Amino acid sequence: MARTEEEWLHIARYVRHAVNKVGPETLPLCLPGEPHECGQNGYQHAMLRAAELKAVAHHLIEEGAATHEEGALFAEQVYQGRLSALREKAPQNV
């Protein structure tokens, strides 16, 4: 799916807020002029924040699971099932 620079910036901001809501550490919010002041574009910021959210979510699973097997169930099986469902719904990049 093709997105505009502005759409990527909105996504980056939303994902950063999500990381701040569930993460053990708070990320600074984008400042006026970002992401361009740091040399990145909106797409790069969105990808960075998405990777941070994925790491925070995995960390929550590891810390919250009662057993290693339960952690693996959520971190692998449930995750892969949801990812597959999202991929099926997503428009094809052509």
Side-chain angles (χ1 to χ4, degrees):
M1 167 187 284
R3 297 183 193 271
T4 67
E5 174 71 4
E6 191 61 31
E7 289 171 323
W8 281 119
L9 288 173
H10 284 294
I11 290 169
R13 289 180 186 119
Y14 291 141
V15 175
R16 186 187 303 221
H17 283 292
V19 172
N20 282 340
K21 294 287 186 186
V22 297
E25 300 171 1
T26 302
L27 299 173
L29 297 178
C30 283
L31 302 172
E34 279 190 337
H36 305 292
E37 285 185 8
C38 67
Q40 296 180 332
N41 61 32
Y43 168 79
Q44 291 166 321
H45 263 249
M47 294 298 104
L48 174 65
R49 299 303 170 225
E52 290 170 343
L53 182 59
K54 184 177 179 180
V56 166
H58 196 99
H59 181 71
L60 285 171
I61 291 168
E62 288 178 346
E63 284 199 327
T67 65
H68 176 72
E69 291 76 22
E70 183 183 58
L73 169 71
F74 289 110
E76 297 169 18
Q77 294 176 6
V78 173
Y79 170 81
Q80 288 298 329
R82 180 65 176 134
L83 183 58
S84 293
L86 289 168
R87 285 176 175 159
E88 288 175 12
K89 292 179 184 178
Q92 298 298 315
N93 291 336
V94 184

